[in-house]
Amino acid sequence: MKTLSNFINGQHQPSNSGRSQPVYNPATGEAQMQVSLASADETRSAIAVAETAFQSWSQVTPLNRARVMFNFKTLLEQHRDELATLISQEHGKVFSDAQGELTRGLEVVEFACGIPHLLKGEHSMNVGRGVDSFSLMQPLGVCAGITPFNFPAMVPLWMFPIALACGNTFILKPSEKDPSVPLRLAELLLEAGLPAGVFNVVNGDKEAVDVLLTDSRVQAVSFVGSTPIAEYVYATGSAHSKRVQALGGAKNHMLVMPDADLGQVTSALMGAAYGSAGERCMAISVALCVGDEVADALTDRLQQEIATLHTGPGTGISPEPHMGPLISQQHADKVRSYIDTGVAEGATLLADGRKLQVANHPQGYFVGPTLFDHVKPGMRIYREEIFGPVLAVVRVPSFADGLKLINEHEFGNGTAIFTASGEAAREFAAQVQVGMVGVNVPIPVPMAFHSFGGWKRSVFGPLNMHGPDGVRFYTRMKTITARWPTGQATTNQFSMPTMR
């Protein structure tokens, strides 16, 4: 069986840790390879390589670093189908969804290609007589990224293109559940002209993560995953004097107003709730319907659409399924247990995905689209992130009640309102306590030149991913105040200096 390991100093390096775990095809349940789990010493070795590489890479001009990103962009486009196939085979999402993931990651690479403009800093002449002030945006050093299974290409691409373009070196610790794409990205970066050691991949578990969080040579850590782990990453990294951006869980609500186009709402919810089998931090998992009439009409439409939804393997069959399997048997069982809990708590189960059988794939990790109605805010299926194809319909009497529920929830990642009223949309956008807001847009993921991040317990740290925040996160500003005297007499000054 093929064994994947680490990519350090420009080459694949077999691990000597003696620890490994299988990598499964979620559609079949079969182990297709295994991945070695790096030891603490191997992780420290990767940090040492990155630290050495930083000395030369940080001195490469921003223009030439950007040219590497341009080359990398071209290679990503050329290998798009290959990468999407790897995503489908290891994560389970359907091929077209994997293509979409790559597109959104590629947009961040395109953003990073403009890095010379983004690193210009500021300049002021004559802040005082004969005194100028200017700022430099300089790289941090060795940076690390810890990324989740659900976007093995996109989330790493949110991080390292900007970090590298800013002059940092990078260590990526991807999910051990689908490690092939991150390793392939490392190969393509090398082909694009990135010097060996500037970008490294360490496959591992908590042993590797804890080294990245505590080693003094690592200057910054980026993380995307569940809220408990995000909180741990933030607390541990911060305690060891690192910059940390840690994005956590979500429970994203869509507020459906009585004047909304229910055809549009239904279509939006089907994709937002069940696309990628619900394994998205921006998935809509709660529909807040204002009034029973809206809820009755919407649930009828959703049940009709769910009956036509096709679930199957991400590649290899035509027509392409709407939805693939979940990442693992353990996670599929967890999602089924949430459905059990919803029934026990008294929610009305309108579509049950627990017993879905996919032809010719009896061992696949499939859970069908599930729909609950009459869900109450106290229920676990409302409070907790399920991360699966489960949509909860909550009935509220008014716009104000719906807004209040969203604002009271512990998560604040993404949200949406569907309405024909500009007044309602404007008030919602202004008052909702959530980081990313859609108006008649179900999954409001910002473009690469804006920043991605939520509020409340969906994010830890002051700076979000990519866009302007990404550049700020991966650089530190240095401000210089300079005077070049021409025969001026100076005297000792013991009071606070001021400009004249």
Side-chain angles (χ1 to χ4, degrees):
M1 181 182 290
K2 180 180 179 181
T3 299
L4 301 177
S5 189
N6 305 316
F7 191 93
I8 300 173
N9 204 21
Q11 58 187 347
H12 294 277
Q13 292 193 5
S15 173
N16 58 16
S17 71
R19 298 185 303 126
S20 63
Q21 72 174 50
V23 177
Y24 293 95
N25 183 331
T28 65
E30 296 174 349
Q32 48 193 343
M33 64 189 74
Q34 62 182 2
V35 59
S36 296
L37 304 178
S39 66
D41 285 343
E42 289 169 334
T43 307
R44 294 187 189 100
S45 175
I47 296 171
V49 166
E51 184 182 40
T52 299
F54 174 73
Q55 304 307 316
S56 56
W57 178 245
S58 61
Q59 298 305 308
V60 173
T61 64
L63 179 61
N64 284 310
R65 296 198 300 255
R67 284 171 176 158
V68 174
M69 290 297 109
F70 273 109
N71 293 339
F72 183 52
K73 170 185 176 295
T74 299
L75 290 169
L76 287 176
E77 293 167 340
Q78 292 173 353
H79 293 271
R80 183 190 298 266
D81 287 355
E82 172 201 349
L83 293 166
T85 300
L86 288 174
I87 293 170
S88 293
Q89 290 173 346
E90 291 185 4
H91 172 269
K93 65 181 63 173
V94 299
F95 184 77
S96 63
D97 191 22
Q99 291 269 17
E101 172 182 346
L102 285 166
T103 297
R104 294 312 299 264
L106 184 60
E107 289 166 355
V108 181
V109 180
E110 292 171 340
F111 174 75
C113 288
I115 209 69
H117 170 71
L118 302 172
L119 297 180
K120 288 190 300 187
E122 302 165 339
H123 189 278
S124 297
M125 289 186 66
N126 291 320
V127 294
R129 190 162 48 199
V131 179
D132 301 332
S133 186
F134 60 96
S135 62
L136 306 176
M137 299 177 70
Q138 297 184 313
L140 306 175
V142 180
C143 300
I146 304 165
T147 56
F149 70 80
N150 60 320
F151 287 104
M154 185 184 76
V155 172
L157 289 168
W158 281 357
M159 300 174 183
F160 72 76
I162 300 174
L164 298 179
C166 288
N168 302 284
T169 54
F170 203 88
I171 299 170
L172 176 64
K173 206 302 287 183
S175 170
E176 58 274 22
K177 293 182 173 66
D178 43 10
S180 290
V181 167
L183 289 169
R184 190 71 182 104
L185 295 178
E187 294 172 343
L188 294 177
L189 279 168
L190 202 66
E191 187 177 343
L194 191 74
V198 175
F199 180 78
N200 307 277
V201 179
V202 171
N203 284 300
D205 52 12
K206 189 174 184 295
E207 183 174 335
V209 167
D210 283 346
V211 172
L212 296 174
L213 294 178
T214 58
D215 193 297
S216 61
R217 294 169 293 181
V218 177
Q219 301 298 307
V221 177
S222 301
F223 172 86
V224 175
S226 68
T227 285
I229 305 303
E231 194 165 25
Y232 171 79
V233 167
Y234 180 73
T236 306
S238 298
H240 288 83
S241 304
K242 304 184 192 313
R243 290 189 180 188
V244 182
Q245 51 181 191
L247 276 60
K251 195 72 176 180
N252 304 317
H253 299 64
M254 176 191 290
L255 184 61
V256 184
M257 297 295 290
D259 61 358
D261 181 331
L262 287 187
Q264 184 186 46
V265 171
T266 303
S267 176
L269 273 174
M270 290 298 295
Y274 303 125
S276 200
E279 291 177 326
R280 293 172 175 158
C281 67
M282 289 294 284
I284 294 292
S285 52
V286 177
L288 294 172
C289 295
V290 178
D292 288 335
E293 184 177 346
V294 172
D296 290 340
L298 180 59
T299 52
D300 285 346
R301 286 172 177 261
L302 287 171
Q303 289 178 86
Q304 294 173 29
E305 291 296 320
I306 287 171
T308 68
L309 193 149
H310 179 206
T311 302
T315 58
I317 62 172
S318 183
E320 182 182 75
H322 300 98
M323 192 177 84
L326 296 173
I327 185 66
S328 67
Q329 185 64 61
Q330 180 184 24
H331 187 56
D333 291 342
K334 180 181 178 181
V335 172
R336 292 189 189 99
S337 74
Y338 269 111
I339 301 172
D340 295 341
T341 298
V343 172
E345 288 180 324
T348 303
L349 185 60
L350 300 178
D352 186 353
R354 289 174 292 185
K355 293 183 169 58
L356 174 73
Q357 296 294 319
V358 174
N360 302 317
H361 291 80
Q363 303 304 314
Y365 311 138
F366 294 97
V367 176
T370 298
L371 177 64
F372 279 105
D373 193 7
H374 300 286
V375 174
K376 305 299 182 185
M379 296 179 178
R380 281 188 62 202
I381 60 169
Y382 173 80
R383 299 194 320 269
E384 299 179 12
E385 183 178 40
I386 298 173
F387 220 61
V390 180
L391 176 62
V393 173
V394 177
R395 299 173 180 232
V396 292
S398 68
F399 168 90
D401 291 297
L403 180 63
K404 183 172 183 288
L405 279 182
I406 298 171
N407 288 346
E408 288 177 345
H409 203 284
E410 67 171 317
F411 297 127
N413 205 46
T415 190
I417 183 172
F418 272 66
T419 181
S421 167
E423 180 183 7
R426 188 173 187 274
E427 182 177 355
F428 182 82
Q431 300 298 326
V432 73
Q433 302 296 303
V434 174
M436 292 170 283
V437 182
V439 176
N440 299 316
V441 174
I443 303 179
V445 177
M447 294 297 290
F449 41 86
H450 291 273
S451 296
F452 178 104
W455 286 13
K456 297 184 284 190
R457 287 181 57 77
S458 290
V459 68
F460 299 88
L463 292 172
N464 292 326
M465 298 282 177
H466 60 67
D469 267 15
V471 177
R472 283 190 284 266
F473 182 78
Y474 289 117
T475 58
R476 53 168 60 99
M477 182 173 286
K478 178 185 291 179
T479 303
I480 296 95
T481 302
R483 168 187 284 151
W484 295 100
T486 54
Q488 295 180 11
T490 60
T491 59
N492 293 334
Q493 293 185 6
F494 297 97
S495 59
M496 175 65 69
T498 59
M499 297 299 176
R500 295 182 175 83

